[in-house]
Amino acid sequence: MTHTIGLIVAAGRGERAGGGTPKQFRPLAGLPLVAHAFDRLGAHAAVEGIVVVTGADQHEALREALGTRAPLAIVEGGATRRESVRAGLDAIAALGGAARVLVHDAARPFVPAAVIDRLVAALDTFPGAIPVLGVADTVATGDALLGNIVDRATLRRVQTPQAFRFDDVMTAHRAWSGATEPTDDAQMLRAAGGDVALVEGDPMLDKITLPGDFAAAEARIGGSRLVRTGMGFDVHRLGDGEELWLGGIRIPHAQGLIGHSDADVALHALTDAILGAIGAGDIGTHFPPSDPQWRGAPSSRFLEHAAALVAAAGARIDHVDLTIICEAPKIGPHRDAIRARIALLLRLPETRISIKATTTERLGFTGRGEGIAAQAIATVSAWEAL
Ligand code: MG
């Protein structure tokens, strides 16, 4: 066996972080902590699958937090961290075992690939390896009064993921009979006689514990947010005997737009812009005109589908800007209603929706009133690992 499995423990109650929800399910930069940890761990080439351990009453919250992410298994944890990790190790054993396991806390959302590189390399020589950082501050004992200064040169802050040869950590767990409850698995491997190598950790791995840690972590990764834009363009012909649907609302008008769906040219351009921003093809890819089920379909469905794809990719729509090009009807009186409708469909505040209109000075097909055109730009952002 040569493969490496990630084991994420997401079973805590996390009450110190505030907010009423266990912290592993609370969003950081728009994504739950556990989803961040899953993505970062899973993005490493060495990690071939991830098992997640969660609390007995947390399965639903975990599935919601993970969205479309597919763990190898979701396992119910125990009363202590040790029991929870043990449950995860048993699940990996039941799946056929592994060469290596990376035991990680969901409360450490960012896992630099370089740390995993160092951990995996250390396992060539040692049965266990953990990331650590030194202590920069003076460290002292004391309560109300200063006690003794502790020699910080010998102190190490221990982080996760902790890496182990699978069979060794499994044996250590089975053999554990310590009187006190261990706070990590490295202690258990040591107790079983296994050497644990120290590799350089990373401040990005600091644990999210207190309410302020969320904002601090968001600020820390702020520079790594990727912004993408997509553009969309569409035209539909005007004809008699049709309802005019434009920007998700019905506008009273002598003519309407002709098309396979409701022919809402504005929502089509907007849908294509959003799909473009996430590289997900175009509206025809998802809703082929050849498919009879989209005959007369409300274009709001297309837009909502594009928004759902953005969310599933762990991304966020930051802004959309739409221009409707026609001589008639006048868009101005309907602008607020269109903006409100699109905000509702995209579940965004109206401040992030821009609706504009122009004529083409009676030139061209729009100028002659033969059709309506629309163009749109969508700005979408996501964290680097997504
Ligand atoms: Mg169209």
Side-chain angles (χ1 to χ4, degrees), residues 40 47 58 72 116 125 133 182 281 288 359 365:
R40 299 285 171 123
V47 178
Q58 296 177 329
L72 293 173
I116 298 179
T125 313
L133 286 177
T359 70
F365 69 86

Side-chain angles (χ1 to χ4, degrees), residues 17-386:
T21 304
K23 65 184 171 188
Q24 62 270 31
F25 305 127
R26 284 188 58 199
L28 190 157
L31 202 61
L33 282 191
V34 65
H36 279 288
F38 192 98
D39 288 341
R40 299 285 171 123
L41 205 54
H44 195 279
V47 178
E48 286 164 54
I50 296 174
V51 169
V52 184
V53 183
T54 198
D57 54 352
Q58 296 177 329
H59 285 258
E60 202 179 319
L62 177 66
R63 285 189 190 282
E64 193 171 316
L66 289 179
T68 55
R69 295 164 185 82
L72 293 173
I74 292 175
V75 183
E76 197 164 304
T80 63
R81 186 183 187 284
R82 176 181 61 82
E83 289 172 19
S84 291
V85 173
R86 173 64 188 272
L89 294 173
D90 285 341
I92 294 171
L95 289 166
R100 293 173 288 269
V101 61
L102 297 170
V103 182
H104 189 51
D105 295 332
R108 301 178 195 269
F110 308 116
V111 190
V115 173
I116 298 179
D117 289 341
R118 293 193 279 273
L119 290 166
V120 170
L123 290 189
D124 288 344
T125 313
F126 301 97
I130 60 175
V132 298
L133 286 177
V135 177
D137 296 321
T138 293
V139 180
T141 61
D143 192 352
L145 294 174
L146 180 63
N148 295 320
I149 301 300
V150 179
D151 181 9
R152 70 181 175 210
T154 64
L155 294 179
R156 301 287 180 267
R157 293 163 52 207
V158 175
Q159 301 180 313
T160 78
Q162 300 194 341
F164 304 98
R165 293 178 190 163
F166 181 76
D167 291 342
D168 289 298
V169 73
M170 193 80 234
T171 302
H173 265 263
R174 288 193 176 120
W176 178 258
S177 59
T180 55
E181 199 58 34
T183 54
D184 70 5
D185 307 283
Q187 298 165 46
M188 299 172 65
L189 183 65
R190 276 199 75 215
D195 283 332
V196 178
L198 303 185
V199 307
E200 190 187 349
D202 194 301
M204 290 288 275
L205 279 168
D206 282 351
K207 197 172 192 171
I208 306 289
T209 304
L210 303 171
D213 293 346
F214 280 83
E218 285 178 354
R220 179 177 281 165
I221 61 169
S224 65
R225 194 152 177 96
L226 287 185
V227 177
R228 300 185 186 93
T229 54
M231 60 183 291
F233 177 76
D234 198 26
V235 171
H236 279 268
R237 183 183 293 274
L238 281 163
D240 296 329
E242 300 277 344
E243 291 182 345
L244 177 61
W245 285 86
L246 202 54
I249 64 167
R250 193 183 155 196
I251 296 179
H253 193 53
Q255 291 185 306
L257 292 169
I258 301 166
H260 189 68
S261 63
D262 66 9
D264 187 329
V265 67
L267 292 196
H268 291 186
L270 194 50
T271 301
D272 263 357
I274 293 167
L275 292 173
I278 57 170
D282 61 24
I283 197 167
T285 317
H286 297 273
F287 304 99
S290 56
D291 189 336
Q293 69 170 307
W294 309 122
R295 188 185 304 279
S299 299
S300 55
R301 287 183 58 183
F302 307 158
L303 187 62
E304 287 176 311
H305 180 71
L309 289 177
V310 172
R316 171 184 86 192
I317 300 170
D318 292 320
H319 187 258
V320 297
D321 183 21
L322 172 69
T323 301
I324 299 170
I325 305 162
C326 60
E327 294 293 331
K330 290 278 171 255
I331 301 302
H334 307 289
R335 186 196 306 261
D336 289 348
I338 292 174
R339 191 185 198 197
R341 177 69 179 146
I342 291 174
L344 191 73
L345 292 170
L346 295 179
R347 300 179 190 188
L348 291 177
E350 290 184 25
T351 50
R352 284 153 65 176
I353 314 285
S354 161
I355 308 296
K356 310 199 301 297
T358 187
T359 70
T360 50
E361 299 288 331
R362 302 194 176 279
L363 295 170
F365 69 86
T366 51
R368 293 189 296 272
E370 294 167 6
I372 298 180
Q375 55 189 28
I377 288 188
T379 306
V380 167
S381 64
W383 299 100
E384 202 164 33
L386 306 175

